[in-house]
Amino acid sequence: MTTDSIIRRRTALGLIGALAAGPVLAQGAAPQTVRIGYQKSSTLFAVLRLQGTLERAFAPLGLKPTWHEFTSGLPLLEALNLDNVDLSADVADTVPVFAQAAGAQLTFVAQEAPSPAAQAIVVRADSPLRTVADLRGKRVGFAKAAGVHYLLIAALAKAGLGFQDIEPAYLSPADGRAAFERGAIDAWVVWDPFLSAAQIQSGARVLADGTGLASYQRYYLAATRFARARPEALAVVFAELEKAGRWVKAQPREAAALLAPFWGLDAAIVEQANARRSYAVRAVTRERLAEQQRIADAFLAEKLLPRRVDALAVDLYKPGAAA
């Protein structure tokens, strides 16, 4: 074998080995971006962002994250469906149902175990309203398609009321807080950390939280085309979310101190909010999606969905499959 032949053979073997090892960043090449959409309440992705975790973890894959903030879950998943972002930080369990009804091609990457007390229907401290039944004829503010939307439907049904018995006001968390404080709405349905902020700063009183009504499981999703093209990126994200969730629960004060300036809230508010979230990141299975169908059917019954949704007809990421 000639020297040129040996060189060519070694070069080919080196390329094969590099490809087998996974994507690498060519010398001098710019890393590919992974566009991550998040909300203010996206605790674990906020931790990863503030600590620079994904920047470090993505680097060997030739990737880097970019961060894009959304006011709530529905516009975030709309952006995911329109290819404006690749990955979605956690959204409430209701949001994927609306995205499915719109024909979005989404992959469920991970799920947070239930946190029913992390969302609630609240009224002002001096409100005469004492029970959910007292909401009849009242103006109630909440974010459309958010987890609180389903909580409100479930709470009304338990009280013998329907959605037609209230005056709904679709408001982002920021607009909802302003409307709540000036008395433009009679009640507000909201999730943490906004819930804890309203309780501690404004003395908001809880009429009902999700206990026994809505388990409030939050989902991390990816655009299906991205999930199929970059499963190794999903493996990194899943592993880092698991670690971040364990850290937040094990170090509540340190986590609150990290998140407080990012959220613009006092550390005590953040710590209370985090105490009510499970942050237990786990794989999504068909069995764990059972409540999704009940959510979809409830929204269909209220004529809030254009068609029936099969909540189980979704792509699921399987941790370890990309290893």
Side-chain angles (χ1 to χ4, degrees), residues 174-189:
D175 291 339
R177 174 70 181 267
F180 181 73
E181 292 187 341
R182 70 173 183 269
I185 53 178
D186 300 293
W188 186 30
V189 200

Side-chain angles (χ1 to χ4, degrees), residues 26-69:
Q27 188 172 4
Q32 294 181 339
T33 59
V34 178
R35 301 164 299 172
I36 298 173
Y38 69 97
Q39 307 172 65
K40 277 291 186 184
S41 56
S42 301
T43 308
L44 299 188
F45 262 115
V47 168
L48 297 183
R49 180 181 182 182
L50 293 169
Q51 295 181 334
T53 303
L54 289 185
E55 282 78 2
R56 294 189 297 273
F58 277 164
L61 303 178
L63 302 173
K64 72 171 183 178
T66 59
W67 302 91
H68 309 270
E69 185 178 336

Side-chain angles (χ1 to χ4, degrees), residues 44-201:
L44 299 188
F45 262 115
V47 168
L48 297 183
R49 180 181 182 182
L50 293 169
Q51 295 181 334
T53 303
L54 289 185
E55 282 78 2
R56 294 189 297 273
F58 277 164
L61 303 178
L63 302 173
K64 72 171 183 178
T66 59
W67 302 91
H68 309 270
E69 185 178 336
F70 292 81
T71 57
S72 61
L74 189 57
L76 172 49
L77 287 201
E78 287 173 349
L80 198 67
N81 187 40
L82 293 172
D83 194 31
N84 291 326
V85 294
D86 303 304
L87 285 172
S88 163
D90 53 311
V91 296
D93 39 18
T94 53
V95 184
V97 168
F98 282 83
Q100 283 180 264
Q105 298 299 306
L106 306 175
T107 295
F108 284 64
V109 176
Q111 175 195 68
E112 279 184 22
S115 303
Q119 55 177 359
I121 304 169
V122 297
V123 295
R124 289 179 299 283
D126 60 354
S127 172
L129 307 181
R130 295 292 166 183
T131 69
V132 173
D134 294 333
L135 294 177
R136 183 188 297 274
K138 304 302 183 182
R139 185 170 172 82
V140 182
F142 57 94
K144 185 176 183 179
V148 293
H149 197 158
Y150 177 66
L151 168 59
L152 179 58
I153 290 173
L156 290 171
K158 185 177 179 180
L161 303 178
F163 210 65
Q164 72 281 357
D165 293 314
I166 65 163
E167 183 183 347
Y170 297 129
L171 300 168
S172 69
D175 291 339
R177 174 70 181 267
F180 181 73
E181 292 187 341
R182 70 173 183 269
I185 53 178
D186 300 293
W188 186 30
V189 200
V190 71
W191 61 96
D192 273 319
F194 313 108
L195 170 60
S196 289
Q199 288 179 289
I200 293 175
Q201 295 175 334

